[in-house]
């Protein structure tokens, strides 16, 4: 295997995944080898990365300059508009979710980058696909702006790999649950909001109906999976679109029951909004056996452990014990 010092650029570094991934990459590679980027102005508490670039990922020239200036080898390109927000701004979502990925793939094709990570989503599956244990190779039929952009991105990843040898790797993330940085604009975000409201209000009104199961994953497991995929030897990877990741599968009602086990007075009711239709078009559970076989995907958290950890940390964070 080729050995080199990794210099990492993270886009969307201030987002839900970006914040935690940046911390882990800094632990592994040292702050001096990690460049975070986002739209916010820099301040000293913004990120644990050694460097911060305030940039819009759609600005291709600026992004290219940053890659050259820092001699970046590896990009975690996380900047994206999630499913709910994408429905409100379809053309902007398409532009943001697809074009910067192509810019990074072009840079890798030219030899400027060695490796790219790009997140896909369970949103690629869509209507008419069996709900349970959805396999890697089912026909994709996304019916949302977000799902369409992710499906196209996956095919571009495969294209750049097959045609130009670009080492771009991807995971179809399920809904991600975490306490450090809030999610923004996703359909699975109910499973994050519910914890905040449980701690702050003791009750929650879910915008997803009680019996709608979706695949979900605790952030620690998502970060571990991402790093494992990126560290895996190239020759072990058989999927160059994006790997299925199943994680956990549960309904709002089941999650509420877990929270009630910890907080017996917690109450929930249900007022589904436009995101219910998005959830209805997504799978309830996912078969991720290929990721387990190819690069050793594994999980540490089940729904009870996740619930306990979320509540414990949020109570501290929100100072509401
Ligand atoms: N969590 C994302 C969303 O709900 C799915 O990838 O948009």
């Amino acid at each position: 295997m080729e050995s080199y010092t990794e210099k990492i650029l993270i886009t969307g570094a201030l987002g839900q995944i970006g914040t935690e991934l940046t911390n882990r990459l800094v632990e592994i590679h040292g702050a001096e080898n990690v460049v975070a980027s986002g739209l916010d102005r820099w301040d000293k508490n913004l990120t644990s990365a050694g460097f911060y670039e305030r940039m819009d990922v759609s600005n291709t020239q600026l992004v290219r300059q940053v890659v050259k200036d820092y001699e970046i080898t590896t990009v975690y390109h996380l900047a994206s508009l999630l499913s709910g927000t994408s429905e409100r701004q379809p053309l902007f979502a398409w532009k943001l979710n697809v074009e910067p990925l192509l810019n990074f793939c072009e840079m890798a094709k030219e030899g400027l980058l060695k490796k790219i990570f790009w997140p896909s989503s369970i949103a690629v599956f869509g209507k008419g696909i069996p709900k349970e244990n959805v396999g890697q190779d089912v026909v994709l039929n996304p019916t949302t702006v977000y799902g369409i952009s992710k499906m196209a991105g996956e095919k571009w990843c495969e294209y750049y790999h097959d045609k130009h040898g670009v080492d771009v790797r991807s995971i179809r993330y399920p809904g991600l649950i975490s306490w450090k940085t809030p999610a923004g604009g996703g359909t699975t975000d109910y499973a994050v909001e519910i914890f905040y409201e449980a701690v702050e209000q003791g009750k929650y009104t879910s915008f997803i109906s009680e019996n709608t199961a979706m695949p979900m994953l605790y952030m620690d497991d998502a970060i571990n999976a991402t790093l494992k995929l990126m560290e895996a030897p190239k020759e072990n990877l058989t999927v160059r679109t994006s790997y299925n990741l199943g994680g956990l599968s549960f309904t709002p009602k089941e999650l509420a029951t877990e929270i009630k086990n910890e907080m017996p007075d917690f109450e929930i009711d249900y007022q589904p909004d436009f995101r219910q239709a998005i959830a209805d078009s997504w799978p309830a559970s996912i078969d991720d056996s290929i990721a387990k076989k190819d690069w050793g995907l594994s999980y540490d958290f089940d729904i009870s452990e996740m619930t306990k950890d979320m509540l414990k940390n949020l109570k501290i964070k929100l100072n509401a014990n």
Side-chain angles (χ1 to χ4, degrees):
M1 234 167 54
E2 193 190 357
S3 104
Y4 57 89
T5 303
E6 279 200 72
K7 282 279 213 166
I8 296 166
L9 171 67
I10 304 151
T11 73
L14 309 177
Q16 189 196 10
I17 306 171
T19 317
E20 301 202 30
L21 187 60
T22 301
N23 292 344
R24 282 288 295 281
L25 289 168
V26 164
E27 278 165 27
I28 298 166
H29 298 277
E32 69 281 10
N33 291 316
V34 180
V35 183
S37 73
L39 288 173
D40 289 12
R41 276 177 204 285
W42 188 85
D43 88 58
K44 66 181 185 330
N45 299 318
L46 201 57
T47 175
S48 57
F51 305 92
Y52 178 75
E53 287 290 331
R54 186 184 188 202
M55 70 177 186
D56 174 353
V57 280
S58 309
N59 185 339
T60 46
Q61 286 316 316
L62 177 60
V63 174
R64 184 173 276 267
Q65 200 54 51
V66 166
V67 165
K68 284 186 178 163
D69 287 350
Y70 290 94
E71 299 179 338
I72 299 295
T73 61
T74 309
V75 173
Y76 290 80
H77 170 40
L78 306 177
S80 177
L81 224 58
L82 290 182
S83 57
T85 325
S86 293
E87 290 303 309
R88 296 196 172 104
Q89 305 176 69
L91 300 186
F92 176 61
W94 172 258
K95 204 173 161 47
L96 183 73
N97 290 357
V98 181
E99 289 177 9
L101 169 66
L102 301 188
N103 189 31
F104 285 123
C105 286
E106 278 293 312
M107 284 188 259
K109 177 181 150 190
E110 290 166 30
L112 279 174
L113 295 169
K114 291 187 187 298
K115 244 193 241 181
I116 303 167
F117 176 81
W118 178 77
S120 186
S121 159
I122 52 165
V124 293
F125 294 109
K127 277 230 153 68
I129 286 151
K131 280 281 197 196
E132 300 296 338
N133 216 22
V134 176
Q136 181 69 48
D137 291 323
V138 297
V139 173
L140 305 180
N141 187 28
T143 47
T144 61
V145 172
Y146 181 66
I148 293 168
S149 70
K150 290 296 181 185
M151 181 178 85
E154 286 191 6
K155 293 308 288 182
W156 278 117
C157 290
E158 188 181 51
Y159 175 85
Y160 271 94
H161 173 264
D162 291 356
K163 183 121 187 180
H164 300 295
V166 167
D167 192 0
V168 48
R169 306 177 179 200
S170 178
I171 282 174
R172 290 172 177 158
Y173 285 130
L176 297 179
I177 299 169
S178 65
W179 58 269
K180 283 189 185 141
T181 307
T187 301
T188 54
D189 290 6
Y190 90 83
V192 179
E193 286 176 9
I194 193 172
F195 286 103
Y196 277 83
E197 303 269 313
V199 173
E200 288 182 315
Q201 316 284 344
K203 58 181 191 317
Y204 179 61
T205 300
S206 171
F207 59 78
I208 297 296
S209 67
E210 59 186 323
N211 293 320
T212 305
M214 282 186 276
M216 299 280 181
L217 192 64
Y218 200 38
M219 188 58 83
D220 300 51
D221 281 332
I223 301 291
N224 284 340
T226 306
L227 295 173
K228 250 190 190 166
L229 170 63
M230 287 300 273
E231 282 154 14
K234 249 190 216 173
E235 50 285 5
N236 291 7
L237 306 183
T238 61
V239 174
R240 283 298 183 165
T241 49
S242 186
Y243 277 95
N244 270 14
L245 223 90
L248 312 163
S249 172
F250 55 76
T251 64
K253 194 174 169 185
E254 286 161 346
L255 183 56
T257 304
E258 290 293 333
I259 294 174
K260 266 189 203 186
N261 288 342
E262 306 300 314
M263 303 176 66
D265 295 335
F266 174 68
E267 286 171 25
I268 185 161
D269 62 4
Y270 303 91
Q271 280 175 27
D273 69 9
F274 74 100
R275 287 167 284 191
Q276 182 62 40
I278 300 179
D280 287 339
S281 78
W282 290 357
S285 63
I286 304 269
D287 173 359
D288 53 19
S289 47
I290 300 184
K292 287 178 175 145
K293 182 166 154 282
D294 283 5
W295 45 273
L297 169 70
S298 62
Y299 305 114
D300 290 331
F301 286 82
D302 63 17
I303 185 170
S304 317
E305 286 154 348
M306 175 194 82
T307 301
K308 289 191 182 93
D309 204 63
M310 277 296 285
L311 291 173
K312 184 184 85 190
N313 284 300
L314 272 183
K315 280 178 186 166
I316 298 166
K317 179 176 163 182
L318 302 171
N319 200 14
N321 205 353

